[in-house]
Amino acid sequence: GESVGLHLPTLSVQEGDNSIINCAYSNSASDYFIWYKQESGKGPQFIIDIRSNMDKRQGQRVTVLLNKTVKHLSLQIAATQPGDSAVYFCAENHNNYGQNFVFGPGTRLSVLP
Amino acid sequence: SQTIHQWPATLVQPVGSPLSLECTVEGTSNPNLYWYRQAAGRGLQLLFYSIGIDQISSEVPQNLSASRPQDRQFILSSKKLLLSDSGFYLCAWSVQPGGGTEAFFGQGTRLTVV
């Protein structure tokens, strides 16, 4: 289910280093996964997605890894920049949810100068 | 291209007053529509979703209601606000049929009930 009652975990990373944000999902039948970035006071923005028939997908400076065996999803950000500071959410989607998405609790990424 | 508009951006309302938040989508037809609430420093809680006009599903019992009078319009309402209704409200849409496409979010409404 949705982990909406948890306080956000925080990841602090030095500027220029790589960041890895992790997410555990709940439904082994979920077949579509999304990472969102949410800056303060704004709505979540789509970063990258992956379908369950893949285990890795790369975008610009971002890579998503999917491990279906342990129901784990990760987002890797290369050469982290100050503009990457935000809250990052994973979301899973499956027809069992009807038209819905189930969001993870989110991780706050802080980039240190 | 598709766009989603949500307003107002911020709202301060007294306890017991009514609420109406509006969301409209442009550039697509028959979208799935969603209302989420986000408490400060927390995750996203799905409140309502809709797959068509006048077709609303509620995910959690609460003091709020939703309506979809037109295909691309989604309204979140309350007759009497509670302090606990304060939060950041997000409208979102996705393409039908459901599954396998991302949801696109509006910029949110920060509601403070005083």
Side-chain angles (χ1 to χ4, degrees):
Chain A
E2 296 175 27
S3 302
V4 295
L6 302 176
H7 285 283
L8 296 174
T10 299
L11 174 67
S12 296
V13 177
Q14 209 70 37
E15 182 179 353
D17 287 351
N18 297 334
S19 303
I20 300 177
I21 301 170
N22 296 304
C23 180
Y25 62 92
S26 56
N27 189 343
S28 58
S30 290
D31 51 15
Y32 179 63
F33 305 87
I34 313 165
W35 278 101
Y36 286 94
K37 174 186 180 182
Q38 186 179 26
E39 297 176 330
S40 180
K42 297 184 179 180
Q45 295 292 309
F46 171 87
I47 301 174
I48 193 169
D49 59 0
I50 189 169
R51 301 189 187 279
S52 59
N53 61 351
M54 303 172 68
D55 53 21
K56 180 180 180 179
R57 189 164 186 226
Q58 289 184 294
Q60 186 178 12
R61 279 203 308 120
V62 294
T63 301
V64 55
L65 299 176
L66 175 63
N67 186 330
K68 296 181 286 294
T69 303
V70 295
K71 293 189 287 186
H72 183 268
L73 195 66
S74 69
L75 177 70
Q76 300 179 3
I77 304 174
T80 311
Q81 302 170 0
D84 295 327
S85 293
V87 175
Y88 290 82
F89 292 96
C90 66
E92 59 181 304
N93 179 249
H94 184 263
N95 285 336
N96 282 350
Y97 298 141
Q99 310 291 328
N100 300 329
F101 300 84
V102 175
F103 283 83
T107 297
R108 185 179 303 281
L109 176 65
S110 293
V111 181
L112 307 174
Chain B
S1 63
Q2 301 89 356
T3 56
I4 179 168
H5 302 280
Q6 185 181 342
W7 69 94
T10 59
L11 190 60
V12 179
Q13 291 283 101
V15 169
S17 65
L19 173 73
S20 180
L21 302 181
E22 190 159 345
C23 173
T24 58
V25 180
E26 297 177 357
T28 188
S29 59
N30 197 29
N32 297 320
L33 295 172
Y34 311 84
W35 277 111
Y36 287 88
R37 177 167 59 198
Q38 186 176 32
R42 295 177 186 262
L44 295 162
Q45 180 185 36
L46 180 65
L47 302 176
F48 301 95
Y49 74 95
S50 170
I51 61 171
I53 294 175
D54 295 330
Q55 300 180 69
I56 312 292
S57 296
S58 175
E59 289 298 296
V60 293
Q62 57 206 316
N63 184 41
L64 302 167
S65 62
S67 61
R68 185 172 178 174
Q70 300 180 44
D71 180 45
R72 291 169 290 176
Q73 182 186 29
F74 206 24
I75 298 171
L76 183 69
S77 304
S78 174
K79 293 182 179 178
K80 289 185 177 181
L81 284 168
L82 307 172
L83 286 173
S84 58
D85 291 324
S86 293
F88 191 51
Y89 289 84
L90 288 156
C91 180
W93 73 273
S94 68
V95 174
Q96 288 206 34
T101 65
E102 67 267 35
F104 300 91
F105 286 84
Q107 289 302 296
T109 296
R110 181 152 317 275
L111 171 66
T112 304
V113 182
V114 296

